[in-house]
Every structure is written in C-alpha cells, then in structure tokens.
C-alpha cells in the first residue's frame, strides 16, 4: 500500500524526515519497500502570465503567446483552445522535464517556441487534457508551481502483512505511529446534517445472504453535482497512486485510503425497483463491470443487485450499469463488509484484483463500515453538494462484539525479559486503542478495538508490547566466547580424514621417548629437537624425555606390525611434540608424521604390484598442502640427516621449513631394526597456521572460453630443474598460460649423457576471447625462443 | 534422365550394401549425396531446362536423394546393432572376480570417540579449549584449591620435569587457564592428554580425559546432571542413565563421582561392571567458590559446574576393548577394525 507523508500529517503531527519515518515504520513491523519524491520535477515549472496572444500565421489551431516568466518575456506556441491573454498559466521552460519528456526549444510551422504551457494531464495532476491549466489571477508570476500548489510530497510503498488489514488505510498507519511515537492521533471530525426526507421513502434494502454479507450500510444523497474534484483531493489520490475520476468516486477512494475500508456509490437513477438486494448470483448470471469486461458468475458469488439485475460483484468491482456519471444527481452510498474467504475465491476465479477486493480479502471489521459511510457522506455533501436523506438502511444481523483478552505481566517478563512495570505495559496497549477493562493481581483485561481482529490471545498482546518496546531494545546477555581455535581444530581433522581416505591408519603413541633415539636419527646437537623436557621420575630410561619428534614412535609401530607379517604399511600420527630450553613450561606443537612402506596399492590380479617411490610420497604431500590452501610451496634438498642422501626434500613456505619428506636412509632404518624401504614425511602443522593468514578458499571465476591444449617436447640438460623450466614457460605470458603439466620424462642412450627429454602439456585460455591458432602458434614460438635462450634446449 | 538417376541409385545401393563400418558409410554418404556428389552435379542441369519442366525434374532428383538417404540410415542402424552385439560378446566379465581395492585407512578408536565427544558438546553450544601438557603446580594444584601440604598433593604418581613443573595429572588445569583469560559466561570442554605414574590393563601412564566447565549466572546442580545425562545418552544410547555418588575433589563443592548403568549388561551385572551393574565414568561437581575467588570471578554472582570423563575408558566401553594397552600398541589388525 502507498501512503503519502503530507496526508499522514493530517492525522499525526510527525516531524521526521523520510529516512527517519522509514526506520520507525520498518522497526514497528511495517516494511517500507520504496520511497518516492513527488512533485520534484514540478519545481521547474513556473507560474507564467500570458501578456500577449496572437494567432499563428501558418496554423489555424495554434496561437503565439508571449509569456512573462517573472524574469523575461518568452515566445511560446500553444495549441490549447482555452488560452487567453492575461491568464496565469503553468509554464514549463526549455530544459525542464515532465515525466520522460524533456522540454526543448522547437520550431512549429516556422515560429520558435521556448517552452510549453501545460495542461493538468501534462503536469500529472489529473486526467484533464481539454486545455491548459488556468491558475487563479493572484498566482505569483515566477514562482515554481510545486511550491505554489503544495505539490511536493513523499510517498512510501508499504508492505502490509496479511494479519493487519487495519493498516491498509492512512489512519491505521497513523495510529501505529502514534502509539510508537507517543503522539496524539487526530481523527477527522464527523458530523452530518440531513434533510427531512427519510431514506426508506426512496430505497429498500434486502440482505438475502447474511452469511456472506455481515453488514450493509446504505445512505442516499440527492441533488449532487458531479464534476472534477478539488485540487487538494486530486493531489491526495495522485500521491498514493490513484487516478482521479470525478468528485463522488474520488471521495469513495479517498475514504478507502483513509480508513482502509472500501466503499461504492451507485447512480440511484439506474436502480430498478428502487431496491438494493444483496444476494448470491444465479448460475451463469452476467454482469458488465467497470473494467469494461463482462463476467459470468456462479451461485457461490455474491452480488449487489436491484430488482432486475446485478449492479456490482460484491466487494470486488462495480457494474457499468449503475456507475456515477456526469449526469448523476442522486446517489446511493454503499459501505459493507463481506465474507473474506468468499471474496478471495470469487476474485481469484474471475481473475479480478482491485483495491477493494485486496482489502475485503483480509477480513475487515463490520464496525468500520458505518464510519466510512458517514465520512464519505460528509465529504460528498461538502464537495459535491446535495441533501442527505434521513437515516440509514443498515443490515447488521450479528453485531461484532468487543473481545476481552487477559494479559499476565509476569508472562510478559518471562517471554520478553523486559522489566517494564504494569503502567508501561498498559500505556503501550492503550496507545493502540486497547482499553483496560479490568485489573486483577497479575492479570490485566483488555478490550480489543473492533479494527484489531488479529488480537485474540495473550501472546498477541505480548507481540504488540515488544513491537512498541522495540525488538532491538531487548537487552541480551550472551556473547560469543571465541575460545576455540576453529581453524586449526578443523584443519587437523581434515588432514586426518584425507589420510584415512588414502588408506592410512592412525596410530597414537605415548608422549615419552628414549633420548637415544635422537642419536639414532642423527639429529644434530644444535637442533631444536635436542631441547627436550626431561622427566625427573620416568617409567624407565627409555621413557625419560617428552618426545620432540614423532618418528621413533611410528618406527616402533612399523617394526611391531612387520613382525606380525604386515609388510604393506601406511601409518600416521598427529600429535603434540615438546621442546624445552629456557622456558619454564614447554613449547608444545602439533606435528603430523606419516610413514609408508611396501607396495603402493593392495594386490590386484590385473596389475603387477608397484613399490612406493619418492613421487608417490610427494603426491600425497602436495595434495595435503593444497587441502590447507597452501600455495607457492618450494622443495629443496633436505637438511635432515636421516634421509638417504639426495632422496629427501624440505618443504619451504614463505622461507620457513614447514616439513620434510623422502626415503629414510637404510642405515638409519637398520638402527630401528627396519629392513624394508621406508618413506616418511612430517608437517609442522602449527607452523603452517602461524604463517598462513588465508582462512577459506576464495572463489575464482571459471573460464568462459574453452582452453587450448598443446604439447611441447624437448631435450634439456639435467642441470635445469623442472621448477625453473616451468617458470620460464609461465613468464612468457602468465595471463594466458594457465597450466604447465609435465607428462613425460625420457632418459636413454639415444639422448646425450647428462640430458633428458621432457614433454609438457600446456593449457592456454583467456578470460576475454577465444584463442586463435595463429595466436597460440606465435606464443609457442616465443616460449621455445625463451627456453632456447635460457637453457639451450633442443626441440624433438 | 530417369535412367541416369536409376543408375546412381543402383550403384549407391550396391556399394552401401558392401560396407561394414560407420567410417566407410560416412565417406559413401558424401560421395553419393554430398555437395560434390554426382547427384548434386546432376541437379545443376536444372538451369538449362525449360521453366515448366524444372519442378518435375527437381522432385525426381530429390526423391532419389531421399531414397539413398534411407538406404544409408538403414545400413547405419544395421552396423551399429552388429557392433553392439560384438561388444557384448567380447566384454566377458567373471562377476565373481575381485574388484580393484581402494583400501581406506582408519582413525584411531580414541580419535573416533574424541571427535564424537567434541561434536556432541559443540552441538550444545560448548567451545573446545586447549591447554598445555607440561604444566606448573599452580594450575595443577594451587588454583584448583589444593594448597601446598594438602594431602591430595601427595600423590606419588605425578611425573615431574622440575620442582614446580610437571605433566598434568588431569585436564582440570584447563579450567583454570580458561578462567584466567575469559570472563563468564564460559561454556567449554577441553579434551586432552594427562599423565600418571601407573601402568596396567586398565591404567596407562599417558591417557586422555575430557574436562567440561560451565560458568554463568544461575548455573545449577540440575544443569550439571542434565548435561551429563544428555551427553551419556547421546554417546551410549537412550537406555543409559547415570547416578551421582558424593565424593571429594578439592576444586568442586559439592563433588560427586559419576556412575553409568553398565553399557554391557544394562545393570544386570557382568564381568565388565564386576557384577555391580554400574560403571565409574568420572568426577563432577559445582565449582568451589574458593576457585572463583582465586581467579577473581564474583562467586556470589556466578555459579558453575565442572566434570571430567575418561576418553580412553569411553572408547573401551563403546568398542568393547578389553585391555587399555591395546589402545597404544598400534597393531594395524586392531586399528583397521574401527
């Protein structure tokens, strides 16, 4: 629903800017979908005076006007029949904008025109396009039209939840705001003067379907003059998105927007039998409706009829056979309430949704019918004149009873934890026009106003209280603890899970170690791992220190398992290691140690078993590091003394060694009584986390253009490492070269001693275009040239 | 003209009939009805014909083209069907021969239980806190309301690194460390390794405990029993109930030992519960006000509970592992069972 700020101010003296009002509405449960400034462009339209009018020499229908805009006299060509000298008019100068239409200097049949004299339709004020808009003589020349007519306004598009039909009118919104802002609500004064003639003398009402029409109020006014509505009324309707039609129809729409309860007016002249009958439609009954469609009805539909024909689909749309026209003099004013479910069914079946059906579908109150009837009658008498017939015809078989709901303040405290006293609670609810009916110990009885059918239970009242108190003003006590290190917690689990999926069994060893093991591993005296925490009262000499490496433990597990005949082993331990030198307590770090020995995979009848080699281990290391989102890792010859020389690597990340892997030196293996070939790797997990600030992978856009694959094969001296070769290739065009995959190494007597043949698969792709063969060929040539220059390759 | 077309049709028919491969068929298709085929060349003659003969001529050529297309489609279907039948014959599979193994490894049973404990408590809003294994006497004793000369300190089974430095004998040390750094509300568990100088079928010198600590306003003894019962039921099943026995711990008051219905016999009595029907699971109690005072937490405003359970013991009960030493032997025939 659309509301207007200026209109709202009639009922409540708010002094908020649109942003503040939006916030108040939003946090009281009325969502603001959009805010529109109205009349901004009419600030550029100026009140002008036609100081001279002559006819256009080349066109009968056009006249040449000289318009005083307060500054200077401008020539304007005008085609309106009603323009005349000395009139005050709305002048849109060159450069101003009316809707999408920009006013430019134009030549009309040889005469120049510097702007436009506007009609009401062109200004968006009404549908009137019969001629230009004539302003009163005392309108100040040169002033902008928006300020003069008070046309600037702000409209708010509101999303009203289905439980609150009372908010489908300005008064309802004002009432909620008055409760929220503690400002008085100013309802329009209503008093009616009627003539001597009684309504019964002119009209009869029969309600044949009280189950579908719980109330029907009819009033009659004779002798009205149908014409355009006054400016203020048109302005109100335009501001909330309604099109002005004529004064009586506009008044029914105005009152609907004011109180949220729709009304309808019939031309008394068209009512056969001088009767209003509320009845179910007959089967296949037809009605020509105001939207120029003819609808075929069913018996479940409710119609308003006269003695011979339906004149409206009740609560949904009026008939064209009884609507208000410029000839209308006597009118019947309908204000009623209909069964909401039935309105909804008919409206859905006939696919008609009107402002009226939208409201009736939401279960309105019977009581408002009389209020809006009175209000509309009052405005019609004021604006359209005429005489009101005495009395009303009112079918109201089962009057709506006031509901009483009990509220326990203790319950409010329990549910909301707000510490407001009873008086505050009562004030909140009285602001919404609930009336304190009775008061007992911890029990407040409230009479629910008729327009709030949604409030039936204690919990509904509690909701109103918290809405007015402010959801976000409820004090909260709990805070996030932030004790847990989630990053390392879940990363440790991830590493374990990946290894398990690769076939590794987790082992858990005691933290005690034999100091002699450090000698067996050739750990240098200066190494950190020699700074051990010694136990004063150990279980024995072989348990005398806290372990600073997980290797001896996993070696002992390996030995035990081999002695049981288990020769293919994949083991890992993820646990703490301890270092202690000058610190009082120890430095404790999580390490991951992995051991592989025997064949890579379980025996399979189709293939020969494959022994584990260096690259099997490296593949696992690479996969684990990728899973931790570690990029740009380097591998250099290991400093550890327990690897077979040349077969061990240290893993370098940001210049720090975060782990190592390789083949255990057979001589060292023997000191642990291990005769098999053993591969191991270790990662210092805590060191990795301390170096890495990346928490989660971030999305990288996926290439839109298909990649191009090319192979490249050459012979190269062994002195060049793969890493350096790849670097040279990548550097040639890092944006286009997406991947360089080694897929073959070939060494034989046919190749020079000290050389090897390498074959790469190169992946090219671009984010912006499909790569042409010519482009790729040129790029390949450059790559080869670069390789020839830096490493003297020979192409194969 | 008609004869010429018939000739083309006949030769196409005989050649297509001879072919047995899809590849050849494609070549024939382009030879007979492709852009440069004889038939299409023939079509070009149309421009030299008188206007009135053109439609009939065009129709005739198109009919021939359609006929050849139909022959090709029929032949293609026949070749595909015969290829398919060959595939069925050649791909013989002995359904009973073993598949390629991708043997997965296993997490240690302690880790399995450890994670389950963490997950149950995380789901109930607990954070997981960590503390050092190598501790000082303050965190292991003093702050836990065990002053010097207190008899509880005389435990000969604590491993010492130095006079004042030891291997923690219980995870309760983490209670102290958390309360030193964080103000209430606190709701944590802390699983970790502890050390005591004992070694037999039911005791290991290195073992694992999980500690829980909850401190807030209005934390009650009922909350303690609730949380423990919920945890035990989630861990061992809905049948499992618990009971508290009054006991003494220096840092809780009141203190209790927790028993659960024997998970093996459900209380009937068996060799695991030594006939009692109950199993001892750990210790619990309300945090002693002295502990709060020592850590400068308002012991009037706040209350709290703490408990400690043995992770290894839970693993042994859950997986029916008879001997503690099996947990640390790391025999893969044992490990792969979990």
């Amino acid at each position: 629903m659309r509301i207007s700020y200026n209109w709202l101010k009639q009922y409540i003296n708010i002094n908020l800017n649109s942003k503040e009002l939006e916030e108040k509405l939003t946090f009281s449960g009325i969502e603001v979908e959009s805010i529109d400034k109205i009349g901004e462009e009419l600030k550029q339209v100026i009140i002008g005076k036609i100081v001279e009018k002559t006819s256009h020499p080349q066109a009968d229908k056009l006249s040449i006007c000289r318009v005083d805009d307060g500054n200077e006299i401008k020539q304007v060509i005008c085609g309106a029949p009603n323009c005349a000298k000395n009139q005050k008019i709305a002048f849109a100068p060159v450069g101003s904008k009316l809707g999408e239409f920009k006013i430019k200097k134009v030549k009309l049949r040889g005469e120049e025109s510097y702007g436009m004299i506007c009609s009401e339709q062109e200004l968006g004020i009404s549908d009137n396009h019969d001629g230009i808009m004539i302003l009163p003589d005392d309108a100040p020349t040169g002033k902008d039209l928006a300020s003069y007519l008070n046309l600037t306004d702000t409209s708010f598009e509101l999303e009203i939840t289905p439980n609150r039909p009372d908010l489908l009118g300005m008064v309802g919104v004002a009432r909620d705001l008055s409760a929220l802002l503690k400002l008085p609500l100013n309802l329009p004064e209503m008093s009616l003067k009627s003539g001597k003639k009684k309504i019964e003398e002119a009209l009869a009402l029969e309600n044949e379907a009280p189950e579908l029409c719980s109330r029907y109020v009819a009033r009659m006014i004779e002798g009205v003059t149908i014409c355009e509505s006054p400016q203020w009324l048109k302005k109100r309707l335009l501001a909330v998105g309604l099109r002005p039609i004529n004064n009586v129809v506009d008044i029914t729409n105005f009152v609907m927007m004011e109180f949220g309860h729709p009304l309808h007016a019939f031309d008394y002249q068209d009512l056969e039998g001088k009767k209003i009958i509320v009845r179910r439609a007959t089967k296949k009954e037809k009605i020509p409706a105001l939207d120029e469609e003819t609808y075929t009805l069913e018996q479940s539909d409710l119609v308003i009829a006269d003695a011979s024909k339906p004149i409206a689909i009740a609560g949904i749309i009026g008939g064209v056979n009884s609507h208000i026209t410029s000839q209308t003099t006597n009118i019947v004013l309908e204000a009623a309430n209909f069964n909401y479910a039935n309105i909804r069914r008919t409206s859905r079946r006939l696919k008609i949704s009107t402002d009226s059906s939208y409201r009736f579908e939401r279960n309105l109150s019977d009581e408002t019918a009389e209020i809006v009837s009175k209000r509309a009658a009052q405005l019609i008498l004021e604006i359209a004149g005429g005489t009101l017939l005495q009395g009303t015809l009112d079918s109201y078989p089962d009057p709506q009873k006031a509901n009483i709901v009990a509220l326990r303040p203790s319950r409010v405290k329990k549910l909301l934890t707000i510490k407001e006293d009873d008086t505050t609670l009562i004030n909140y609810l009285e602001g919404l026009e609930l009336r304190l009916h009775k008061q007992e110990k911890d029990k407040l009885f409230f009479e629910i106003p008729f327009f709030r059918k949604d409030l039936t239970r204690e919990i509904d009242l509690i909701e109103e209280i918290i809405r007015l108190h402010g959801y976000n003003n409820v004090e909260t006590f709990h805070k996030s603890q932030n004790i847990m290190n989630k990053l390392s917690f879940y990363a440790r689990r991830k590493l374990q899970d990946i290894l398990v999926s690769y076939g590794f069994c987790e082992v858990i060893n005691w933290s005690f170690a034999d100091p002699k093991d450090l000698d067996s591993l050739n750990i240098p005296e200066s190494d950190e791992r020699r700074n051990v925490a010694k136990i004063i009262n150990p279980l024995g000499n072989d348990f005398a220190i806290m372990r600073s490496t997980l290797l001896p433990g996993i070696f002992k597990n390996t030995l035990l398992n081999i002695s049981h005949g288990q020769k293919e082993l994949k083991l890992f331990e993820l646990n703490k290691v301890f270092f202690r030198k000058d610190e009082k307590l120890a430095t404790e770090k999580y390490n991951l140690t992995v051991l592989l020995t025997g064949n890579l995979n379980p025996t399979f009848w189709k293939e020969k078993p494959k022994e584990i080699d260096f690259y099997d281990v490296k593949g696992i290391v690479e996969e684990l590091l990728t899973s931790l989102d570690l990029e740009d890792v380097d591998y250099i010859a290991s400093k550890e003394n327990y690897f077979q020389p040349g077969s061990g690597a240290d893993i370098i990340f940001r210049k720090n060694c975060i782990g190592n892997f390789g083949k255990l030196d057979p001589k060292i293996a023997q000191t642990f009584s291990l005769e098999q070939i053993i591969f191991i790797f270790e990662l210092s997990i805590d060191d990795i986390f301390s170096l890495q600030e990346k928490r989660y992978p971030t999305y990288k856009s996926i290439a839109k253009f298909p990649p191009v694959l090319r192979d490249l094969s050459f012979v190269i001296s062994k002195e060049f490492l793969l890493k350096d070769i790849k670097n040279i290739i990548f550097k040639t065009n890092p944006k286009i070269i997406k991947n360089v995959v080694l897929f073959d190494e070939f060494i034989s007597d046919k190749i020079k001693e000290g050389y090897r043949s390498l074959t790469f698969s190169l992946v090219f792709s671009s984010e912006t275009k499909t790569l042409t063969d010519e482009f790729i060929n040129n790029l390949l040539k450059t790559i080869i040239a670069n390789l020839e220059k830096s490493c003297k390759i020979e192409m194969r | 003209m008609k004869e010429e077309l018939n000739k083309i049709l006949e030769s196409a028919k005989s050649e297509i009939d001879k072919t047995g491969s899809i590849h050849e068929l494609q070549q024939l298709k382009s030879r007979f009805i492709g852009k440069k085929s004889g038939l299409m060349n023939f079509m070009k003659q149309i421009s030299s014909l008188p206007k009135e003969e053109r439609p009939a001529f065009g129709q005739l050529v198109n009919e021939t083209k359609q006929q050849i297309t139909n022959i090709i489609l029929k032949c293609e279907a026949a070749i595909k069907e015969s290829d398919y039948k060959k595939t069925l014959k050649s791909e013989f599979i002995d359904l009973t021969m073993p598949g390629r193994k991708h043997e997965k490894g296993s997490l240690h049973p302690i880790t399995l239980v450890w994670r389950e404990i963490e997950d149950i408590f995380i789901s109930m809003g607990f954070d997981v806190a960590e503390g050092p294994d190598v501790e000082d006497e303050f965190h292991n004793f003093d702050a836990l309301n065990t002053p010097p000369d207190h008899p509880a300190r005389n435990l000969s089974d604590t491993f010492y690194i130095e006079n004042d430095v030891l291997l923690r004998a219980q995870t309760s040390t983490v209670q102290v460390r958390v309360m030193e750094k964080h103000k209430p509300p606190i709701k944590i568990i802390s699983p970790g390794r502890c050390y005591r100088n004992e070694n037999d079928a039911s005791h290991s010198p290195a073992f694992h405990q999980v500690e829980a600590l909850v401190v807030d306003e209005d934390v009650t003894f009922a909350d303690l029993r609730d949380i423990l019962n919920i945890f035990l039921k989630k861990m061992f099943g809905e049948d499992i109930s618990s009971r508290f026995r009054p006991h003494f711990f220096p840092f809780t008051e009141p203190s209790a030992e927790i028993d659960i219905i024997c998970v093996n016999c459900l209380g009937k009595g068996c060799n695991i519960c030594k006939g009692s029907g109950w199993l001892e699971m750990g210790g619990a109690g309300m945090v002693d006000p002295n502990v709060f005072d020592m850590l400068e937490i308002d012991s009037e405003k706040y209350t709290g509970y703490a408990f400690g359970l043995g992770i290894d013991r839970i693993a042994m009960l859950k997986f029916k592992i008879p001997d503690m030493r099996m947990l640390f032997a790391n025999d893969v025939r044992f490990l792969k069972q979990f």
Side-chain angles (χ1 to χ4, degrees), chain A residues 481 483-484 493 496-497 500 504 506 508-511 536-537 561 576 580 584 588 590 605 607, chain B residues 98 100 105-106 108 111 115 118-119 127 130 133-134 158 160 162 164 187 193 195 204 330 332:
Chain A
Q481 300 190 77
I483 291 173
M484 187 167 173
R493 285 190 176 193
Q496 289 173 317
D497 290 339
V500 167
F504 288 83
E506 186 191 22
I508 293 185
N509 288 295
W510 291 348
S511 307
I536 296 172
N537 51 338
N561 280 295
K576 276 182 180 177
R580 186 168 185 268
K584 182 180 176 196
E588 305 183 6
Y590 279 99
W605 52 272
E607 284 152 13
Chain B
R100 188 193 304 272
S106 58
H108 196 284
T111 304
R115 282 192 185 187
E118 285 173 339
D119 290 342
D127 259 20
E130 290 189 70
D133 294 17
V134 178
T158 307
Y160 274 87
E162 237 173 50
D164 181 28
K187 195 171 179 184
R193 183 170 277 199
Y195 306 84
S204 163
N330 299 309
V332 292

Side-chain angles (χ1 to χ4, degrees), chain B residues 276-305:
Chain B
S276 75
W278 292 92
L279 296 166
E280 194 185 319
M281 284 304 298
M286 302 304 289
V287 179
D288 193 302
N290 282 349
V291 174
F292 282 146
D293 293 346
M294 206 137 20
L295 294 161
E296 290 170 358
I297 287 174
D298 185 344
S299 58
E300 274 303 307
K301 186 173 176 190
Y302 293 105
T303 51
Y305 65 76

Side-chain angles (χ1 to χ4, degrees), chain A residues 707-712 722 725-727 729-731 733-743 759-767 771 779-780 783:
Chain A
V708 180
L709 302 169
R710 288 296 173 86
D711 289 351
L712 188 63
L722 188 80
I725 301 167
K726 274 171 99 169
N727 260 340
I729 299 176
F730 268 121
K731 267 189 197 156
N733 191 340
K735 274 197 177 152
I736 298 289
I737 303 171
K738 291 283 138 69
N739 208 353
V740 177
V741 183
L742 175 74
F743 81 73
T759 306
F760 292 90
S761 175
L762 310 185
V763 182
F764 306 101
S765 93
S766 158
E767 270 82 53
L771 300 171
L779 183 55
L780 269 176
I783 292 171

Side-chain angles (χ1 to χ4, degrees), chain A residues 6 32 66 77 133 177 182 205 242 258 345 359 484 502 535 617 662 697 702:
Chain A
N6 290 350
V32 177
R66 299 185 64 75
I77 311 296
M133 182 185 193
L177 282 172
K182 301 189 175 69
L205 169 67
L242 291 177
E258 188 173 46
R345 278 194 291 267
R359 286 172 172 77
M484 187 167 173
Y502 289 170
I535 300 166
V617 182
I702 294 159

